Every structure is written in C-alpha cells, then in structure tokens.
C-alpha cells in the first residue's frame, strides 16, 4: 500500500534543525539550512502549492536554484 505522508514542510524543517543541533552543527550552518527551507516555503506560497512533494522540489531547484554540475 502506498501511504501518503502528511508531515508538513514546516515540521520537516523543525526536525532538520533539531537533528543538526543534536549533531553539533554550527549556528551558521543551521541558519543556512533554515534559509534554504524558507526559500522553498516562499516558492510554494508564490505558486499556491500546499503540499511539498518531490516534484515541487524538482521544480524549485530547476526554476530557482538552476542547473548545477554536482560531479
């Protein structure tokens, strides 16, 4: 069965921050990750998107971040 996960992106952001703190990441790194998630939230709001999905992530990176060579 393919069960839909109803966790909000805000909850995921909070969990990410908690995990970064637990792993003793620096304040600057935590702020950087927080800003990245906030950028996605702004993108979703501007595009009237209510649910974060992999497709939304792909669209955000294609439209906002742009192509990058990760090799």
């Amino acid at each position: 069965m393919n069960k839909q996960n109803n966790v909000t992106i805000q909850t995921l952001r909070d969990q990410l921050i908690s995990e970064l703190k637990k792993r003793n990441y620096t304040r600057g790194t935590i702020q950087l990750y927080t800003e990245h998630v906030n950028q996605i939230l702004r993108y979703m709001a501007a595009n009237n998107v209510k649910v974060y999905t992999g497709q939304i992530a792909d669209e955000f990176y294609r439209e906002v971040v742009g192509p990058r060579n990760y090799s």
Side-chain angles (χ1 to χ4, degrees), residues 49-61:
V49 174
K50 305 292 183 207
V51 178
Y52 180 76
T53 64
Q55 180 180 348
I56 294 303
D58 291 343
E59 290 172 13
F60 169 78
Y61 280 98

Side-chain angles (χ1 to χ4, degrees), residues 18-71:
S18 177
E19 186 65 25
L20 293 174
K21 286 179 179 178
K22 186 168 67 174
R23 293 175 183 239
N24 295 315
Y25 277 72
T26 66
R27 183 176 169 179
T29 299
I30 293 170
Q31 287 175 325
L32 181 66
Y33 277 96
T34 301
E35 180 52 33
H36 285 300
V37 175
N38 289 340
Q39 281 183 303
I40 295 169
L41 287 168
R42 288 190 296 271
Y43 174 83
M44 290 173 62
N47 290 284
N48 199 30
V49 174
K50 305 292 183 207
V51 178
Y52 180 76
T53 64
Q55 180 180 348
I56 294 303
D58 291 343
E59 290 172 13
F60 169 78
Y61 280 98
R62 217 177 13 259
E63 293 177 24
V64 177
V65 177
R68 299 210 177 170
N69 182 357
Y70 293 105
S71 61

